[in-house]
Amino acid sequence: MNNFLDMVWVEFRKAVRSRMPLWTILGSLFMPAGIAFLLFLAKNPEISHKLGLVSAKANLIAYSATDWSSYLVLLAEIISAGAFFFFVIAVSWVFGREFTDGTLKDLLAVPVSRSSILLAKFFMVIIWSIAMAIIILLFSLVMGVIIQLPGGSPSVIMNGLIVVAITVCLAIAVVLPFAFFASVGRGYLLPIAIAILSLIMANLIMALGWAEFFPWAIPTLYAQGEGSLSAISYWIVLITSLLGMIATYLWWKYADQNR
């Protein structure tokens, strides 16, 4: 247990010194800020009229987020797709930096089991992603208050927050396997490339009606409130996450770490 806590502290210090959590959080805030800006334009047509195409996009967003209930659903959808990509950046950095910085062999030489090292890294990714999601959520709530969205009763807000929280959990779960891609690719490029491909595939599979069986489409499907998720979808997410973590462990344990 002490080794695990020590490694968590090491990972925390690495992240803080690099300022990567700060940059990812700031970058992720552009998503709710952009949505809030479009809603503002939709509520002020005299301003949006001068912006042409932006006005049309603002009206489209406003149509889908007319009150707090639909606004929180839209926020959950943003997290399932946009924040998912920032979660991938987090896991890619936590696992890939050991290869790009050339510190992997030094890390594996310390008298700590590889399972403790990997658990600490996964723990760091989860905490980082949750912190990012919480800040996005708080920022979005403030924006909703400023825009003065109607229908903000406690029950509506609570139900919306539950949807957002479950979406965050699903998104983090399907992000953990990208640790394996960061390890195999020995850096950041492979997991980010596969993340982009998985989002493209998720959209295609959703159009075909098979989204409930594709792990990287399930968070978005849940966020949309389609009501078509069965127990098997949650099992698929859980199994995908566990298989990704196991594959990462086996690769770190048995692959030839020659650099």
Side-chain angles (χ1 to χ4, degrees), residues 189-205:
L189 294 181
L190 181 61
I192 291 176
I194 293 179
I196 295 172
L197 178 62
S198 66
L199 289 177
I200 295 173
M201 290 295 297
N203 286 313
L204 176 61
I205 291 174

Side-chain angles (χ1 to χ4, degrees), residues 173 177 237-247:
V237 169
L238 178 61
I239 292 172
T240 300
S241 181
L242 291 176
L243 288 178
M245 296 175 69
I246 293 171

Side-chain angles (χ1 to χ4, degrees), residues 118-169:
L118 291 175
L119 284 176
K121 286 183 174 295
F122 280 118
F123 182 78
M124 183 64 202
V125 169
I126 293 172
I127 296 301
W128 184 344
S129 300
I130 290 175
M132 200 184 311
I134 290 174
I135 292 174
I136 292 172
L137 176 60
L138 292 176
F139 183 81
S140 300
L141 292 177
V142 172
M143 290 295 100
V145 171
I146 293 174
I147 297 170
Q148 298 181 339
L149 290 171
S153 65
S155 61
V156 168
I157 298 295
M158 183 56 64
N159 290 336
L161 292 180
I162 291 173
V163 171
V164 171
I166 295 176
T167 302
V168 168
C169 293

Side-chain angles (χ1 to χ4, degrees), residues 18-66:
S18 71
R19 299 182 182 175
M20 274 298 293
L22 174 62
W23 296 125
T24 53
I25 288 172
L26 290 177
S28 66
L29 290 181
F30 278 98
M31 295 181 297
I35 297 300
F37 177 67
L38 291 176
L39 285 172
F40 171 77
L41 291 180
K43 290 179 176 293
N44 295 272
E46 69 280 0
I47 297 176
S48 61
H49 180 70
K50 300 177 182 179
L51 300 179
L53 181 60
V54 175
S55 175
K57 292 181 179 179
N59 291 331
L60 180 61
I61 292 293
Y63 178 76
S64 61
T66 55

Side-chain angles (χ1 to χ4, degrees), residues 67-159:
D67 54 18
W68 272 103
S69 178
S70 55
Y71 177 67
L72 290 172
V73 169
L74 182 61
L75 175 61
E77 293 177 9
I78 290 172
I79 288 176
S80 69
F84 162 83
F85 190 74
F86 284 96
F87 296 166
V88 171
I89 291 176
V91 73
S92 301
W93 185 87
V94 169
F95 285 85
R97 71 177 300 275
E98 306 295 352
F99 301 94
T100 58
D101 292 351
T103 58
L104 179 63
K105 289 193 291 186
D106 297 328
L107 179 64
L108 296 180
V110 299
V112 178
S113 67
R114 298 189 183 187
S115 60
S116 294
I117 294 173
L118 291 175
L119 284 176
K121 286 183 174 295
F122 280 118
F123 182 78
M124 183 64 202
V125 169
I126 293 172
I127 296 301
W128 184 344
S129 300
I130 290 175
M132 200 184 311
I134 290 174
I135 292 174
I136 292 172
L137 176 60
L138 292 176
F139 183 81
S140 300
L141 292 177
V142 172
M143 290 295 100
V145 171
I146 293 174
I147 297 170
Q148 298 181 339
L149 290 171
S153 65
S155 61
V156 168
I157 298 295
M158 183 56 64
N159 290 336

Side-chain angles (χ1 to χ4, degrees), residues 212-236:
E212 61 179 317
F213 304 113
F214 187 65
W216 292 280
I218 290 173
T220 301
L221 195 63
Y222 177 84
Q224 292 175 346
E226 297 288 340
S228 59
L229 285 185
S230 59
I232 191 172
S233 296
Y234 298 103
W235 278 109
I236 288 173

